[in-house]
Amino acid sequence: MTAPFVIVGGDAAGMSAASKAKRDDPSRDVIVFEKGSWVSYAACGMPYYVKGTVDDLDDLVAMTPETAREERDIDLRTGHEVVSINRDEQTVTVSTEEETFEQPYGELLLGTGARAIVPPFDGIDREGVFTLRDMDEAGEISDYVETTAPETAAIVGGGYVGIEMAEALTEHGIDVTIFEMLPRTLQPFGAETARTVEDHLREQGVDLRLETAVEGFTGAETVDAGDTVDAVKIEGDDEPVPADLVIVGVGVTPNVDLAEDAGLELGPTGAIATDEFGRTSDESIYAAGDCAEATNVVTGEPDHVPLALTANRAGRAIGATVAGEPTRTGGTAGTAIVKAFDLGAARTGILDPERAREAGFDPESVTIEAPTRPHYYPGARDLRVTLVADRESERVLGASIVGREGTKRIDTVATALHASLTVTELQNLDLAYAPPFSPVWDPVLTAAKVLGGTLEK
């Protein structure tokens, strides 16, 4: 008999691979080992659970363990941690609370994800200091807000988690301060979009402190409070900033220890190196999701983009490959969108001029403002669109969009990146028009038209 298809990790990449492999080859045994208790959950929804938009953590689960086992015939085992890989024997060592055993595999998929970066801040272990990377942490934060009713909160990091959690905590009447050590928030979104978001955060009452490095966290000086956090210490400032709750959201790092210990190659980003089919340096082992690299569609080079669609798509492709139909995992443009109170901010491709030049391009960009509907139709909102292209080839390199509606238009530019379109080709796309939805010249087309004129000079 063929040895089972074994998967390490039961979230986006792992469960997508398991479902696809089992669907395409029902006779194949598929085993998923997940060290935690949650599987197939929407991590992107966790801030909205804390906010109260999502009523129950279980609502974020796409597929329960029972569904996987009973309806999809997947041998899913929670509470099972894979602690080592024996490539010569093609086995993995699995540990539970009761036992440790060896499991043979025919093909192995590593979907070990990523973990929150936890800087060595003084007081990082105090009660009331959290990261937000998994469902248990989301539950803990929500419970803490409900039981302790904090009045002030500090968020360390101005990325996706920081922006979304600022909105979530403000909804509970908490005064929020964001600390960002860099000159702006939302680094991958470009300066224009970041400034627009920052102005809006301040309008919503968020205390935004840019170019401010956190040193650590102090604790309450009362016996009853114990080691509970009460303030944030800032480098170079003797006056701590009050905080009854702290969220540390400074980024993630791929979980590659298992792969590295097994001698698998890591790529230049520090994630697991893979080929176009998701194979690692061992042809019987695959990797996908937040632990693995993907090919950037703009540069053609390895990139590490820990986003949900990248993980789901790669996992599904690997499942098809294992079932007998070789399928490429697809590239990434780093397309992302984030809600910041009443604003949406979206990005795709390369926006940073220095990164573009390092990739061999000569970047040129424009930023325009255009309405989401004709001037005569009610409800029009301005969109700010930044579009970047290579001066020599006129190839579109990236874009960022920010506004109160219509930011999903970023998908048009993401499609252009995957197709390697020029600015003129983007400008000439036949996009839908009707007054309730768009002006004749969609804001993306307007940006392409203006950038095309700039490139002609």
PDB file of all heavy atoms in Angstrom, residues 260-286:
ATOM      1  N   GLU A 260      14.216  22.994   9.367  1.00  0.00           N
ATOM      2  CA  GLU A 260      15.656  23.239   9.493  1.00  0.00           C
ATOM      3  C   GLU A 260      16.344  22.063  10.173  1.00  0.00           C
ATOM      4  O   GLU A 260      17.433  21.639   9.747  1.00  0.00           O
ATOM      5  CB  GLU A 260      15.887  24.531  10.266  1.00  0.00           C
ATOM      6  CG  GLU A 260      17.293  25.072  10.164  1.00  0.00           C
ATOM      7  CD  GLU A 260      17.414  26.468  10.727  1.00  0.00           C
ATOM      8  OE1 GLU A 260      16.537  26.882  11.520  1.00  0.00           O
ATOM      9  OE2 GLU A 260      18.383  27.158  10.379  1.00  0.00           O
ATOM     10  N   ASP A 261      15.723  21.531  11.220  1.00  0.00           N
ATOM     11  CA  ASP A 261      16.300  20.377  11.911  1.00  0.00           C
ATOM     12  C   ASP A 261      16.395  19.158  10.998  1.00  0.00           C
ATOM     13  O   ASP A 261      17.269  18.304  11.185  1.00  0.00           O
ATOM     14  CB  ASP A 261      15.470  20.029  13.152  1.00  0.00           C
ATOM     15  CG  ASP A 261      15.603  21.071  14.254  1.00  0.00           C
ATOM     16  OD1 ASP A 261      16.523  21.905  14.176  1.00  0.00           O
ATOM     17  OD2 ASP A 261      14.768  21.059  15.183  1.00  0.00           O
ATOM     18  N   ALA A 262      15.504  19.091  10.012  1.00  0.00           N
ATOM     19  CA  ALA A 262      15.520  17.960   9.079  1.00  0.00           C
ATOM     20  C   ALA A 262      16.475  18.194   7.911  1.00  0.00           C
ATOM     21  O   ALA A 262      16.597  17.331   7.036  1.00  0.00           O
ATOM     22  CB  ALA A 262      14.108  17.714   8.549  1.00  0.00           C
ATOM     23  N   GLY A 263      17.133  19.348   7.891  1.00  0.00           N
ATOM     24  CA  GLY A 263      18.098  19.625   6.835  1.00  0.00           C
ATOM     25  C   GLY A 263      17.500  20.164   5.555  1.00  0.00           C
ATOM     26  O   GLY A 263      18.166  20.190   4.512  1.00  0.00           O
ATOM     27  N   LEU A 264      16.246  20.622   5.596  1.00  0.00           N
ATOM     28  CA  LEU A 264      15.636  21.213   4.412  1.00  0.00           C
ATOM     29  C   LEU A 264      16.178  22.630   4.197  1.00  0.00           C
ATOM     30  O   LEU A 264      16.498  23.333   5.154  1.00  0.00           O
ATOM     31  CB  LEU A 264      14.115  21.260   4.560  1.00  0.00           C
ATOM     32  CG  LEU A 264      13.412  19.911   4.725  1.00  0.00           C
ATOM     33  CD1 LEU A 264      11.921  20.118   4.919  1.00  0.00           C
ATOM     34  CD2 LEU A 264      13.677  19.020   3.516  1.00  0.00           C
ATOM     35  N   GLU A 265      16.258  23.037   2.940  1.00  0.00           N
ATOM     36  CA  GLU A 265      16.817  24.348   2.627  1.00  0.00           C
ATOM     37  C   GLU A 265      15.838  25.467   2.964  1.00  0.00           C
ATOM     38  O   GLU A 265      14.640  25.364   2.683  1.00  0.00           O
ATOM     39  CB  GLU A 265      17.172  24.428   1.138  1.00  0.00           C
ATOM     40  CG  GLU A 265      18.347  23.560   0.729  1.00  0.00           C
ATOM     41  CD  GLU A 265      18.683  23.705  -0.742  1.00  0.00           C
ATOM     42  OE1 GLU A 265      18.117  24.626  -1.392  1.00  0.00           O
ATOM     43  OE2 GLU A 265      19.490  22.911  -1.242  1.00  0.00           O
ATOM     44  N   LEU A 266      16.391  26.517   3.555  1.00  0.00           N
ATOM     45  CA  LEU A 266      15.626  27.744   3.752  1.00  0.00           C
ATOM     46  C   LEU A 266      16.011  28.715   2.647  1.00  0.00           C
ATOM     47  O   LEU A 266      17.125  28.692   2.129  1.00  0.00           O
ATOM     48  CB  LEU A 266      15.914  28.356   5.121  1.00  0.00           C
ATOM     49  CG  LEU A 266      15.659  27.466   6.341  1.00  0.00           C
ATOM     50  CD1 LEU A 266      15.883  28.260   7.620  1.00  0.00           C
ATOM     51  CD2 LEU A 266      14.252  26.868   6.320  1.00  0.00           C
ATOM     52  N   GLY A 267      15.086  29.589   2.294  1.00  0.00           N
ATOM     53  CA  GLY A 267      15.341  30.556   1.243  1.00  0.00           C
ATOM     54  C   GLY A 267      15.906  31.851   1.785  1.00  0.00           C
ATOM     55  O   GLY A 267      16.143  31.994   2.993  1.00  0.00           O
ATOM     56  N   PRO A 268      16.123  32.838   0.911  1.00  0.00           N
ATOM     57  CA  PRO A 268      16.706  34.113   1.334  1.00  0.00           C
ATOM     58  C   PRO A 268      15.844  34.904   2.307  1.00  0.00           C
ATOM     59  O   PRO A 268      16.346  35.766   3.023  1.00  0.00           O
ATOM     60  CB  PRO A 268      16.884  34.875   0.007  1.00  0.00           C
ATOM     61  CG  PRO A 268      15.935  34.216  -0.944  1.00  0.00           C
ATOM     62  CD  PRO A 268      15.883  32.783  -0.533  1.00  0.00           C
ATOM     63  N   THR A 269      14.559  34.619   2.362  1.00  0.00           N
ATOM     64  CA  THR A 269      13.678  35.330   3.294  1.00  0.00           C
ATOM     65  C   THR A 269      13.693  34.719   4.694  1.00  0.00           C
ATOM     66  O   THR A 269      13.146  35.292   5.624  1.00  0.00           O
ATOM     67  CB  THR A 269      12.222  35.318   2.780  1.00  0.00           C
ATOM     68  OG1 THR A 269      11.703  33.985   2.875  1.00  0.00           O
ATOM     69  CG2 THR A 269      12.134  35.815   1.350  1.00  0.00           C
ATOM     70  N   GLY A 270      14.286  33.536   4.816  1.00  0.00           N
ATOM     71  CA  GLY A 270      14.258  32.818   6.091  1.00  0.00           C
ATOM     72  C   GLY A 270      13.142  31.804   6.180  1.00  0.00           C
ATOM     73  O   GLY A 270      13.093  31.008   7.120  1.00  0.00           O
ATOM     74  N   ALA A 271      12.221  31.810   5.212  1.00  0.00           N
ATOM     75  CA  ALA A 271      11.167  30.798   5.157  1.00  0.00           C
ATOM     76  C   ALA A 271      11.678  29.594   4.359  1.00  0.00           C
ATOM     77  O   ALA A 271      12.763  29.615   3.779  1.00  0.00           O
ATOM     78  CB  ALA A 271       9.914  31.380   4.518  1.00  0.00           C
ATOM     79  N   ILE A 272      10.861  28.529   4.310  1.00  0.00           N
ATOM     80  CA  ILE A 272      11.272  27.303   3.633  1.00  0.00           C
ATOM     81  C   ILE A 272      11.271  27.526   2.122  1.00  0.00           C
ATOM     82  O   ILE A 272      10.290  28.010   1.549  1.00  0.00           O
ATOM     83  CB  ILE A 272      10.325  26.145   3.992  1.00  0.00           C
ATOM     84  CG1 ILE A 272      10.291  25.928   5.515  1.00  0.00           C
ATOM     85  CG2 ILE A 272      10.766  24.855   3.303  1.00  0.00           C
ATOM     86  CD1 ILE A 272       9.203  24.961   5.972  1.00  0.00           C
ATOM     87  N   ALA A 273      12.369  27.178   1.480  1.00  0.00           N
ATOM     88  CA  ALA A 273      12.480  27.320   0.024  1.00  0.00           C
ATOM     89  C   ALA A 273      11.630  26.256  -0.667  1.00  0.00           C
ATOM     90  O   ALA A 273      11.646  25.088  -0.271  1.00  0.00           O
ATOM     91  CB  ALA A 273      13.934  27.185  -0.411  1.00  0.00           C
ATOM     92  N   THR A 274      10.887  26.666  -1.692  1.00  0.00           N
ATOM     93  CA  THR A 274      10.045  25.735  -2.443  1.00  0.00           C
ATOM     94  C   THR A 274      10.159  26.013  -3.936  1.00  0.00           C
ATOM     95  O   THR A 274      10.537  27.111  -4.350  1.00  0.00           O
ATOM     96  CB  THR A 274       8.557  25.865  -2.039  1.00  0.00           C
ATOM     97  OG1 THR A 274       8.110  27.201  -2.302  1.00  0.00           O
ATOM     98  CG2 THR A 274       8.354  25.540  -0.572  1.00  0.00           C
ATOM     99  N   ASP A 275       9.809  25.007  -4.743  1.00  0.00           N
ATOM    100  CA  ASP A 275       9.765  25.224  -6.185  1.00  0.00           C
ATOM    101  C   ASP A 275       8.344  25.606  -6.598  1.00  0.00           C
ATOM    102  O   ASP A 275       7.477  25.855  -5.753  1.00  0.00           O
ATOM    103  CB  ASP A 275      10.288  23.999  -6.940  1.00  0.00           C
ATOM    104  CG  ASP A 275       9.364  22.782  -6.836  1.00  0.00           C
ATOM    105  OD1 ASP A 275       8.240  22.902  -6.293  1.00  0.00           O
ATOM    106  OD2 ASP A 275       9.762  21.694  -7.296  1.00  0.00           O
ATOM    107  N   GLU A 276       8.090  25.626  -7.897  1.00  0.00           N
ATOM    108  CA  GLU A 276       6.794  26.098  -8.393  1.00  0.00           C
ATOM    109  C   GLU A 276       5.637  25.179  -8.013  1.00  0.00           C
ATOM    110  O   GLU A 276       4.471  25.573  -8.102  1.00  0.00           O
ATOM    111  CB  GLU A 276       6.847  26.264  -9.905  1.00  0.00           C
ATOM    112  CG  GLU A 276       7.160  24.982 -10.658  1.00  0.00           C
ATOM    113  CD  GLU A 276       7.320  25.214 -12.152  1.00  0.00           C
ATOM    114  OE1 GLU A 276       6.770  26.222 -12.656  1.00  0.00           O
ATOM    115  OE2 GLU A 276       7.988  24.386 -12.806  1.00  0.00           O
ATOM    116  N   PHE A 277       5.946  23.951  -7.582  1.00  0.00           N
ATOM    117  CA  PHE A 277       4.907  23.024  -7.153  1.00  0.00           C
ATOM    118  C   PHE A 277       4.824  22.900  -5.631  1.00  0.00           C
ATOM    119  O   PHE A 277       4.083  22.061  -5.122  1.00  0.00           O
ATOM    120  CB  PHE A 277       5.143  21.641  -7.778  1.00  0.00           C
ATOM    121  CG  PHE A 277       5.025  21.632  -9.270  1.00  0.00           C
ATOM    122  CD1 PHE A 277       6.152  21.705 -10.062  1.00  0.00           C
ATOM    123  CD2 PHE A 277       3.780  21.579  -9.878  1.00  0.00           C
ATOM    124  CE1 PHE A 277       6.054  21.710 -11.450  1.00  0.00           C
ATOM    125  CE2 PHE A 277       3.667  21.575 -11.268  1.00  0.00           C
ATOM    126  CZ  PHE A 277       4.810  21.662 -12.052  1.00  0.00           C
ATOM    127  N   GLY A 278       5.598  23.711  -4.920  1.00  0.00           N
ATOM    128  CA  GLY A 278       5.584  23.676  -3.468  1.00  0.00           C
ATOM    129  C   GLY A 278       6.538  22.659  -2.873  1.00  0.00           C
ATOM    130  O   GLY A 278       6.537  22.457  -1.653  1.00  0.00           O
ATOM    131  N   ARG A 279       7.357  22.009  -3.712  1.00  0.00           N
ATOM    132  CA  ARG A 279       8.314  21.033  -3.198  1.00  0.00           C
ATOM    133  C   ARG A 279       9.477  21.742  -2.520  1.00  0.00           C
ATOM    134  O   ARG A 279       9.939  22.791  -2.975  1.00  0.00           O
ATOM    135  CB  ARG A 279       8.860  20.153  -4.318  1.00  0.00           C
ATOM    136  CG  ARG A 279       7.865  19.183  -4.917  1.00  0.00           C
ATOM    137  CD  ARG A 279       8.571  18.193  -5.834  1.00  0.00           C
ATOM    138  NE  ARG A 279       7.630  17.329  -6.516  1.00  0.00           N
ATOM    139  CZ  ARG A 279       7.099  17.592  -7.711  1.00  0.00           C
ATOM    140  NH1 ARG A 279       7.442  18.710  -8.335  1.00  0.00           N
ATOM    141  NH2 ARG A 279       6.250  16.758  -8.265  1.00  0.00           N
ATOM    142  N   THR A 280       9.968  21.132  -1.463  1.00  0.00           N
ATOM    143  CA  THR A 280      11.156  21.627  -0.777  1.00  0.00           C
ATOM    144  C   THR A 280      12.391  20.992  -1.424  1.00  0.00           C
ATOM    145  O   THR A 280      12.299  20.382  -2.491  1.00  0.00           O
ATOM    146  CB  THR A 280      11.113  21.256   0.710  1.00  0.00           C
ATOM    147  OG1 THR A 280      11.224  19.828   0.839  1.00  0.00           O
ATOM    148  CG2 THR A 280       9.806  21.722   1.357  1.00  0.00           C
ATOM    149  N   SER A 281      13.529  21.102  -0.775  1.00  0.00           N
ATOM    150  CA  SER A 281      14.757  20.482  -1.285  1.00  0.00           C
ATOM    151  C   SER A 281      14.710  18.961  -1.199  1.00  0.00           C
ATOM    152  O   SER A 281      15.587  18.275  -1.735  1.00  0.00           O
ATOM    153  CB  SER A 281      15.974  21.011  -0.517  1.00  0.00           C
ATOM    154  OG  SER A 281      15.798  20.873   0.881  1.00  0.00           O
ATOM    155  N   ASP A 282      13.717  18.408  -0.542  1.00  0.00           N
ATOM    156  CA  ASP A 282      13.450  16.968  -0.528  1.00  0.00           C
ATOM    157  C   ASP A 282      12.201  16.748  -1.374  1.00  0.00           C
ATOM    158  O   ASP A 282      11.126  17.281  -1.061  1.00  0.00           O
ATOM    159  CB  ASP A 282      13.221  16.490   0.908  1.00  0.00           C
ATOM    160  CG  ASP A 282      13.026  14.989   1.021  1.00  0.00           C
ATOM    161  OD1 ASP A 282      12.328  14.415   0.161  1.00  0.00           O
ATOM    162  OD2 ASP A 282      13.540  14.397   1.989  1.00  0.00           O
ATOM    163  N   GLU A 283      12.315  15.979  -2.444  1.00  0.00           N
ATOM    164  CA  GLU A 283      11.214  15.872  -3.414  1.00  0.00           C
ATOM    165  C   GLU A 283       9.952  15.241  -2.843  1.00  0.00           C
ATOM    166  O   GLU A 283       8.875  15.380  -3.433  1.00  0.00           O
ATOM    167  CB  GLU A 283      11.658  15.078  -4.641  1.00  0.00           C
ATOM    168  CG  GLU A 283      12.020  13.636  -4.373  1.00  0.00           C
ATOM    169  CD  GLU A 283      12.401  12.886  -5.632  1.00  0.00           C
ATOM    170  OE1 GLU A 283      12.625  13.548  -6.669  1.00  0.00           O
ATOM    171  OE2 GLU A 283      12.481  11.641  -5.572  1.00  0.00           O
ATOM    172  N   SER A 284      10.033  14.585  -1.703  1.00  0.00           N
ATOM    173  CA  SER A 284       8.834  13.991  -1.108  1.00  0.00           C
ATOM    174  C   SER A 284       8.212  14.892  -0.039  1.00  0.00           C
ATOM    175  O   SER A 284       7.197  14.532   0.559  1.00  0.00           O
ATOM    176  CB  SER A 284       9.164  12.629  -0.493  1.00  0.00           C
ATOM    177  OG  SER A 284      10.058  12.764   0.595  1.00  0.00           O
ATOM    178  N   ILE A 285       8.818  16.058   0.209  1.00  0.00           N
ATOM    179  CA  ILE A 285       8.326  16.971   1.238  1.00  0.00           C
ATOM    180  C   ILE A 285       7.942  18.302   0.589  1.00  0.00           C
ATOM    181  O   ILE A 285       8.712  18.891  -0.166  1.00  0.00           O
ATOM    182  CB  ILE A 285       9.371  17.200   2.337  1.00  0.00           C
ATOM    183  CG1 ILE A 285       9.767  15.875   2.988  1.00  0.00           C
ATOM    184  CG2 ILE A 285       8.832  18.160   3.396  1.00  0.00           C
ATOM    185  CD1 ILE A 285      10.840  16.003   4.063  1.00  0.00           C
ATOM    186  N   TYR A 286       6.753  18.770   0.915  1.00  0.00           N
ATOM    187  CA  TYR A 286       6.238  20.038   0.429  1.00  0.00           C
ATOM    188  C   TYR A 286       6.114  21.020   1.598  1.00  0.00           C
ATOM    189  O   TYR A 286       6.111  20.633   2.771  1.00  0.00           O
ATOM    190  CB  TYR A 286       4.860  19.855  -0.203  1.00  0.00           C
ATOM    191  CG  TYR A 286       4.828  18.942  -1.409  1.00  0.00           C
ATOM    192  CD1 TYR A 286       4.855  17.550  -1.265  1.00  0.00           C
ATOM    193  CD2 TYR A 286       4.769  19.467  -2.695  1.00  0.00           C
ATOM    194  CE1 TYR A 286       4.822  16.716  -2.362  1.00  0.00           C
ATOM    195  CE2 TYR A 286       4.735  18.633  -3.818  1.00  0.00           C
ATOM    196  CZ  TYR A 286       4.762  17.259  -3.634  1.00  0.00           C
ATOM    197  OH  TYR A 286       4.727  16.441  -4.729  1.00  0.00           O
TER     198      TYR A 286
END
